[in-house]
Structures are given as structure tokens and as C-alpha cells.
């Protein structure tokens, strides 16, 4: 009996969300009395494949095929489902990334395996099999019972820790059967967003809103982000007027993020904004209005003028880094 | 070109969310709207219909209470509507019902929203595509169609991807694809007489069920820091929150 984990890679490299998914799979496998088989599609080095053993994978099924270097949802889902059948899987774990969102539903249908999309914790119990997730854009939590024999769990990145131990996984090459019909989408071009840290993967995000008055004032936001190794984000009106690019806009109509630290500068904290950031582990709010609604959602707050507070904060972070290196 | 747009009926974004005995969502006093991403999908379908000719059908899986929002979709410009008369409690069930209805008509493009803002699954589109054996592009920000070939842009981690796909296909729409339209008076008048077909569900295969709900734990009160002593914030983030 096994638990299948889709171990996603980006141009041959794993990321933290991959290790989270494998760690999550290992813990779920323990609950089910099963072992973990990771499925890797793409050109990942043998050494990296074996290293998934550190996070609890016993075996890795490696699929190498030059037609599969970019995500092809039908083919990828077919591979994951075939691996699940071959391994007698009781559960399939997929990280709820952009790729995961394209795949989880397909895998669930192929295996008739009920899906918890966007799980935030380990299964509460395995009999009945229930898993917690958020609902109503973070304004509610629900426990979802999965009634099918096989379960699919799409685990939200940054909601489960990486458990690194020792060990090496055995690597097996896997040749699934694929047909032309599995290649319905053809990738023409991949456009990388400039910017140093990718917003959806950032552990720290520095975000600013209309309180900053104009695009010319974003220098200090970028500098604070750089000092913290953070990504930058913004509120919707800021993107709408073109002070910042739209791909930085977080909130209900923008990107949803859940970093370890979210620093909101000159953002009022409208409910639609909070919907995109309320999963952040720690929220810091800097706002000149002590009545700003964002303070109710914040862990730490500074009531003050951003144009004074942020430069001071940059200096304080620099000092901290100097004394901790 | 025949478009099918899946619309879900969700609480307005500013609604207070409460639950009855941790067992069910408490809908009393809550205003329901068309899921915002579905409005984007609908608008893009209408724009493409205007450019290419064809029809736009909307479909909803839900009880009779969703009809005002189905009429709203008709007022925005859809030609006709289908309501599958069943409670949408499980994404697989919803996708199965839409797939059954879609099989009766050969649609060229089936659009959904990126995700519903109530259950936030983002899974109806890929499930539907799998059930129909079609390709699917998720979280798409652009859609153009020439002949039977579509060019689509979708969000990926750290950027965008441009894809081509042939009709028929399924797509889930993200903000950016179109600016939602507001119904005008003529649309509202004509919506009353546009066809709205009610279908009974095919089977009752539900694979999941929400068995318990709660509100997220209340945040502890914010810790305020003196704006003249921001070093304190850095200390707290290091020593207390342990994140830097
Ligand atoms: C359907 C719908 C969807 C939406 N989706 C989103 C979304 O996805 N994301 C989103 O962000 N918004 C969204 N909105 C808009 C949202 O309701 C708010 O209007 C928006 O978030 C406000 O942006 P803001 O906080 O930057 O601006 P404001 O609300 O104008 O707030 C500016 C803040 O800056 C503070 N300030 C001013 N000067 C200073 C200073 N010198 N120093 C420090 N602070 C200062 C002010 O006190 C104020 O709190 C949506 C709205 C609707 C209706
Ligand atoms: N009950 C429903 N009826 C019709 N379409 C739906 C329904 N629920 C979800 N959808 C569609 O599927 C998309 C994704 O929903 P979800 O998978 O619930 O996040 C929505 O944006 C809708 O387009």
C-alpha cells in the first residue's frame, strides 16, 4: 500500500513546496500504514531524486521525456494516475501550486478519488478520512470528509512544514502509456516576471497601498524588500492606476499569498485585500490612521507616517543583519 | 461558436460568514452574487461571440434560489440558461452534472471562473475537462480564438505561459481576461423572456462532504510599537515571532 506524492520541479529543480508535499505525504502514509512513492516528471538529477528520501519517500518513479518538460495537464495527470494504480495508492498528494491546480481535479476524476483542494493540515483522522481546508476566502474553516476509496489531497504551499531527516529513495524509471490526445495544450512561450523574489513563493512580502501617494515613492518599499529578501506586492487600486504592475496585486481579485511575514504599508485593510493575505503567518501593519481596519488583522502595528517609519525600519533591518552575520 | 459558461452563486465578498451549529453555512441575511471570476468568463464569452458569431449559454448547478443570478447573467447578455436542480456540495458532483448537460450539446468552448469564492476549490474546470476528455487551461488571463485554434495566456509560478489549444476545450478565467459588464435596462427587460431550462440531476455521485465548519480563531490584539523605536519591531520579529 502506498501514498503517491507528485514531486513538482521547475526546470529540473525542486522547491520548498515539493519537500513540504513529500513530508506531508510521509506523515499521511504513517497514519495509513503505507509507504511513500514520489512521482517526478522532468529532467531532475539522480542525486536530487534520491534526496527525496530525506523527506520520507521510499521510492521515486522518474519519468523523463522531452515532450514533458513544460506542464501538459492531461499527460501529467495520466502519469500520476497510472503511478497510483501501479503502486496501489490509498492517497495521492499534490502541492496546490498553479500546476497542482491544473492537475488535482483531473487525477481525482481518473481515480474517482474525492479531492480536498487546498488542504491546510494533515488528515484529522483516517477513518473517517477528514482533512481541514479554508473556505469563504479564509473567512471560514471546514473539515472535508472523503468518502471514496482513494483520496486526493492538494496541500496549500507553506501550510505544512518540511521534515528533513536522512535516507535515500530508490529510483525507478517509469514509462507510462501516453497518447497524442494527452497533448491537447501546446506551450508556445514562457514569460518570466522580472523581480528577484517570486511573490507566490516568497517567505516575506513587503506590500504597499494608496497611502504611498505615487509610484515615485516605491523606492523605499523595494529597498526594505531587498534588505529582507522579500517580494513586493500592492493593493488593487495601486495596480489599477498603474503605479505597480498587475501581477503584484494581492487580494480577492488578485493573487492569494500565505507568506511567513506580510508587511502592509499604507494599506487600509479592506476585506477584499485581506482575503488574499489572511493566511500570512505574521502580519505587520504600518499606517498613519490608528483606526485603519488592517490593525484588527495585524500581529504588530506601527501607527505612523510611512515616509518616516519605513526609512527607519530599513536602517533597523540593516543594523540587525550586520550584528547577526 | 458555441460557448458554455459555468456560473456559481456565492455570498457577496463583504458578507459576514457564520455557521449554524458548526454544521452548515448560515445563509440568512446573506446577499448572493455571481462568482466574480465567472462574470469575467461570461464577459469574455460575450465579446468573442460578438466578434465571431454564435451563442452563449450559462449553466448553474443549484437550487431555485440561484435563479435571480441566472437572470442577471442573461441580462448581461447570455442567450439562454440551464439550471441543474441540485445542491452543489461536491466539486466532482458539480462537474459531473455540467458534463452531462454539455454532452447534450456540442459546445466549442466551456468557461469557468478561476475558483469559486465560497469553497475556493478551483477544481470544477479540470474535473469537467477530464470527464469530457478535453484539454483545459487553468487560471487564464487572455483568450483569443481564430478558427478552431485558441491562443491562451495563463498564470504560472513566477510568470505567464502562452499556450495554443484547439476547440473544443475548457478554460478557467482569471482577472485580466475582461472587464465585467453591468446589465443595462434593455438587457434586464429581455432577460425575463430568455429560455431558462431546469434539468434534474443525473445520479448522485458525491465523493466528499463538508462535515464541520468553524470560524478562524480570533486574532490576538495587535501589539503596537512606538514609531520612534522601530528596532523593537525587528527584535520582536526575531525573538518572538522568530521569522527573521
Ligand atoms: C469586488 C471587489 C474586489 C476587490 N478586490 C481587491 C483586491 O483583490 N485587492 C485589493 O487590495 N483591493 C480590492 N478591492 C478594493 C478594496 O475594497 C479597497 O478599496 C482597496 O484594497 C484599498 O486599497 P488601499 O488600502 O491601498 O487604499 P485606501 O483604502 O485608500 O487606503 C490607504 C491607506 O493608507 C493610509 N495612509 C495614508 N497616508 C499614509 C502615510 N503617509 N503613511 C502611512 N499610511 C498612510 C491611510 O490611512 C489608509 O488606511 C476590491 C473591491 C471590490 C468591490
Ligand atoms: N454550482 C455550480 N454551478 C455552475 N458552475 C459552478 C458551480 N460551482 C463552481 N462552478 C464553476 O467552477 C468554477 C470553479 O469553482 P470551484 O472549483 O468551486 O472553485 C467557478 O468559478 C464556476 O465557474
Amino acid at each position: 500500500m502506498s501514498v503517491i506524492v507528485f514531486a513538482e520541479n521547475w526546470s529540473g529543480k525542486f522547491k520548498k513546496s515539493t519537500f513540504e508535499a513529500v513530508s506531508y505525504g510521509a506523515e499521511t502514509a504513517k497514519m495509513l500504514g503505507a509507504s511513500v512513492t514520489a512521482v517526478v516528471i522532468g529532467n531532475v538529477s539522480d542525486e536530487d531524486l534520491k534526496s527525496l528520501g530525506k523527506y520520507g519517500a521510499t521510492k521515486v518513479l522518474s519519468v523523463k521525456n522531452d515532450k514533458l518538460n513544460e506542464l501538459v495537464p492531461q499527460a501529467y495527470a495520466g502519469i500520476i494516475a497510472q503511478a497510483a494504480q501501479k503502486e496501489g495508492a490509498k492517497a495521492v498528494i499534490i502541492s496546490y501550486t498553479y500546476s497542482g491546480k491544473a492537475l488535482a481535479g483531473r487525477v481525482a476524476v481518473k481515480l474517482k478519488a474525492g479531492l480536498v483542494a487546498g488542504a491546510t493540515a494533515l488528515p484529522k483522522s483516517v477513518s473517517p478520512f477528514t482533512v481541514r481546508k479554508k473556505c469563504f476566502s479564509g473567512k471560514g474553516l471546514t473539515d472535508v470528509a472523503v468518502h471514496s476509496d482513494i483520496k486526493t489531497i492538494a496541500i496549500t504551499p507553506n501550510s505544512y512544514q518540511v521534515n528533513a531527516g536522512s535516507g535515500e529513495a530508490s529510483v525507478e524509471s517509469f514509462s507510462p502509456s501516453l497518447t497524442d490526445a494527452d497533448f491537447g495544450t501546446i506551450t508556445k512561450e514562457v514569460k518570466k516576471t522580472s523581480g528577484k523574489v517570486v511573490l507566490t513563493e516568497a517567505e516575506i512580502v513587503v506590500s504597499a497601498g494608496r497611502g504611498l501617494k505615487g509610484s515615485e515613492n516605491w523606492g523605499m518599499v523595494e529597498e526594505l524588500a531587498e534588505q529582507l529578501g522579500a517580494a513586493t506586492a500592492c493593493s488593487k487600486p495601486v495596480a489599477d492606476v498603474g503605479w505597480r504592475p498587475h501581477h503584484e496585486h494581492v487580494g480577492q481579485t488578485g493573487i492569494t499569498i500565505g507568506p511567513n511575514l506580510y508587511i502592509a504599508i499604507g494599506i487600509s485593510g479592506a476585506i477584499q485585500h485581506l482575503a488574499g493575505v489572511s493566511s500570512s503567518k505574521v502580519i505587520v501593519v504600518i499606517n498613519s490612521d490608528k483606526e485603519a481596519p488592517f490593525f484588527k488583522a495585524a500581529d504588530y502595528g506601527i501607527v505612523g507616517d510611512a515616509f518616516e517609519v519605513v526609512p527607519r525600519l530599513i536602517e533597523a533591518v540593516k543594523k540587525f543583519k550586520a550584528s547577526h552575520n | 461558436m458555441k460557448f458554455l459558461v459555468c456560473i456559481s452563486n456565492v455570498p457577496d465578498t463583504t458578507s459576514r460568514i457564520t455557521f449554524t451549529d458548526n454544521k452548515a453555512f448560515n445563509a440568512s441575511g446573506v446577499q448572493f452574487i455571481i462568482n466574480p471570476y465567472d462574470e469575467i468568463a461570461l464577459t469574455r464569452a460575450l465579446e468573442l461571440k460578438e466578434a465571431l458569431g454564435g451563442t452563449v449559454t450559462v449553466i448553474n448547478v443549484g437550487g431555485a434560489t440561484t435563479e435571480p443570478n441566472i437572470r442577471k447573467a442573461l441580462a448581461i447578455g447570455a442567450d439562454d440558461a440551464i439550471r441543474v436542480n441540485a445542491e452543489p456540495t461536491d466539486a466532482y458532483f458539480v462537474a459531473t452534472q455540467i458534463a452531462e448537460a454539455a454532452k447534450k450539446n456540442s459546445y466549442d468552448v466551456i468557461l469557468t471562473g478561476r475558483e469559486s469564492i465560497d469553497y475556493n476549490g478551483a477544481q470544477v474546470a479540470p474535473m469537467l475537462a477530464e470527464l469530457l476528455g478535453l484539454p483545459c487551461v487553468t487560471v487564464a488571463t487572455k483568450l483569443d480564438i481564430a478558427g478552431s485554434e485558441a491562443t491562451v495566456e495563463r498564470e504560472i509560478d513566477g510568470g505567464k505561459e502562452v499556450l495554443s489549444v484547439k476547440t473544443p476545450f475548457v478554460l478557467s478565467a482569471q482577472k485580466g481576461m475582461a472587464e465585467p459588464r453591468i446589465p443595462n435596462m434593455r438587457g434586464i427587460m429581455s432577460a425575463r423572456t430568455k429560455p431558462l431550462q431546469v434539468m434534474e440531476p443525473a445520479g448522485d455521485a458525491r465523493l466528499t462532504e463538508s462535515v464541520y465548519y468553524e470560524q478562524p480563531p480570533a486574532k490576538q490584539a495587535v501589539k503596537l510599537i512606538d514609531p520612534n523605536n522601530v528596532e523593537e519591531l525587528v527584535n520582536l520579529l526575531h525573538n518572538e515571532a522568530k521569522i527573521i
Side-chain angles (χ1 to χ4, degrees):
Chain A
M1 209 163 55
S2 75
V3 167
I4 293 282
V5 178
F6 172 58
E8 187 175 359
N9 69 88
W10 288 259
S11 308
K13 289 285 164 209
F14 297 130
K15 285 189 185 166
K16 187 166 148 259
S17 63
T18 317
F19 305 134
E20 288 168 3
V22 178
S23 303
Y24 183 98
E27 211 49 46
T28 307
K30 257 187 224 159
M31 297 171 78
L32 291 166
S35 65
V36 172
T37 300
V39 177
V40 179
I41 305 170
N43 285 316
V44 177
S45 73
D46 248 22
E47 199 179 320
D48 282 353
L49 291 173
K50 284 184 199 153
S51 78
L52 293 178
K54 281 203 298 204
Y55 311 99
T58 310
K59 180 163 51 167
V60 175
L61 296 178
S62 162
V63 181
K64 291 189 180 162
N65 175 337
D66 279 339
K67 283 164 78 185
L68 297 172
N69 289 341
E70 306 294 344
L71 174 76
V72 187
Q74 289 158 294
Y76 275 48
I79 293 168
I80 297 167
Q82 285 172 42
Q85 272 150 356
K86 168 173 140 60
E87 298 288 305
K90 280 280 149 208
V92 179
I93 314 294
I94 297 174
S95 185
Y96 200 47
T97 57
Y98 280 102
S99 306
K101 286 178 185 172
L103 294 172
R106 284 195 174 270
V107 172
V109 169
K110 280 185 190 288
L111 298 171
K112 258 204 160 216
L115 166 65
V116 183
T120 52
L122 285 174
K124 252 193 174 162
S125 63
V126 290
S127 148
F129 197 93
T130 55
V131 188
R132 177 154 284 205
K133 63 163 281 181
K134 291 192 179 159
C135 55
F136 299 100
S137 306
K139 289 191 272 183
L141 302 167
T142 179
D143 293 336
V144 180
V146 184
H147 297 313
S148 51
D149 192 28
I150 307 176
K151 339 285 180 190
T152 318
I153 305 175
I155 171 79
T156 305
N158 210 18
S159 63
Y160 188 72
Q161 77 272 14
V162 173
N163 297 326
S166 56
E168 251 186 25
S170 65
V171 177
E172 221 176 83
S173 106
F174 180 50
S175 309
S177 69
L178 295 172
T179 67
D180 285 349
D182 290 322
F183 291 83
T185 51
I186 299 159
T187 301
K188 296 282 184 197
E189 190 190 347
V190 174
K191 303 183 193 169
K192 291 267 168 229
T193 337
S194 57
K196 309 101 224 168
V197 185
V198 176
L199 183 51
T200 47
E201 295 160 8
E203 308 216 340
I204 302 180
V205 173
V206 179
S207 184
R210 210 144 56 174
L212 285 205
K213 316 277 189 292
S215 60
E216 68 281 7
N217 296 326
W218 248 263
M220 62 182 188
V221 176
E222 280 174 350
E223 188 176 355
L224 180 59
E226 195 183 318
Q227 288 300 328
L228 290 168
T232 50
C234 68
S235 66
K236 179 172 185 288
V238 161
D240 286 345
V241 297
W243 294 351
R244 300 298 291 177
H246 255 296
H247 61 75
E248 279 198 359
H249 149 200
V250 292
Q252 190 198 293
T253 48
I255 291 174
T256 305
I257 53 172
N260 291 335
L261 173 60
Y262 183 72
I263 303 180
I265 304 165
I267 302 176
S268 56
I271 195 153
Q272 298 90 356
H273 184 86
L274 297 181
V277 303
S278 60
S279 319
S280 309
K281 303 258 157 67
V282 173
I283 295 180
V284 171
V285 169
I286 300 171
N287 196 301
S288 51
D289 173 9
K290 70 178 195 321
E291 302 295 333
F294 219 146
F295 284 118
K296 289 207 178 67
D299 300 281
Y300 302 104
I302 299 182
V303 180
D305 182 349
F307 296 99
E308 291 168 15
V309 173
V310 176
R312 273 184 218 145
L313 187 55
I314 293 168
E315 288 315 309
V317 171
K318 280 187 185 160
K319 238 171 48 197
F320 170 82
K321 282 169 63 182
S323 65
H324 282 81
N325 271 334
Chain B
M1 189 135 298
K2 286 173 73 171
F3 296 91
L4 179 68
V5 183
C6 308
I7 57 171
S8 66
N9 194 55
V10 298
D12 188 1
T13 56
T14 52
S15 309
R16 228 177 82 76
I17 302 296
T18 59
F19 304 104
T20 309
D21 300 332
N22 299 105
K23 284 273 178 260
F25 169 60
N26 176 11
S28 77
V30 171
Q31 170 86 21
F32 282 82
I33 58 169
I34 301 175
N35 188 42
Y37 301 105
D38 307 355
E39 274 193 21
I40 294 170
L42 173 60
T43 309
R44 188 63 192 141
L46 293 169
E47 290 169 358
L48 289 166
K49 172 198 139 169
E50 284 154 15
L52 306 167
T55 54
V56 175
T57 304
V58 292
I59 185 167
N60 168 260
V61 180
T65 52
T66 70
E67 287 198 5
N69 280 327
I70 299 179
R71 290 281 173 210
K72 186 182 172 200
L74 293 169
I76 293 172
D79 298 291
D80 61 342
I82 302 168
R83 178 170 70 81
V84 180
N85 188 29
E87 286 308 314
T89 57
D90 168 56
Y92 178 78
F93 174 75
V94 170
T96 308
Q97 299 312 319
I98 298 173
E100 287 306 317
K103 279 178 197 159
K104 298 198 173 80
N105 275 288
S106 41
Y107 296 101
D108 300 291
V109 183
I110 304 179
L111 295 106
T112 77
R114 177 193 89 182
E115 67 176 37
S116 60
I117 61 168
D118 50 2
Y119 288 92
N120 307 106
Q123 287 312 311
V124 168
M127 285 183 171
L128 179 57
E130 186 63 38
L131 289 164
L132 295 171
L134 297 178
C136 176
V137 182
T138 41
V139 202
T141 49
K142 263 190 201 160
L143 166 63
D144 290 297
I145 302 178
S148 64
E149 182 142 330
T151 305
V152 188
E153 192 172 273
R154 73 174 191 102
E155 284 182 1
I156 55 173
D157 288 309
K160 295 220 164 132
E161 187 178 66
V162 182
L163 304 139
S164 78
V165 60
K166 285 198 162 52
T167 58
F169 63 90
V170 180
L171 170 145
S172 81
Q174 162 72 318
K175 177 192 63 94
M177 181 172 283
E179 274 309 311
R181 289 184 186 175
I182 294 159
N184 58 25
M185 206 53 205
R186 223 183 74 211
I188 295 169
M189 297 302 288
S190 68
R192 293 187 192 156
T193 53
K194 285 181 178 172
L196 191 171
Q197 183 196 349
V198 178
M199 284 174 39
E200 288 309 313
D204 196 23
R206 299 180 199 245
L207 303 180
T208 66
E209 178 192 3
S210 270
V211 290
Y212 179 87
Y213 294 92
E214 68 183 27
Q215 287 174 308
K219 269 259 181 195
Q220 293 210 327
V222 56
K223 233 182 222 177
L224 287 180
I225 291 141
D226 180 351
N228 294 310
N229 184 18
V230 298
E231 287 77 14
E232 177 63 9
L233 175 63
V234 176
N235 279 337
L236 287 168
L237 291 176
H238 179 63
N239 294 317
E240 189 178 82
K242 300 194 189 326
I243 42 184
I244 62 170

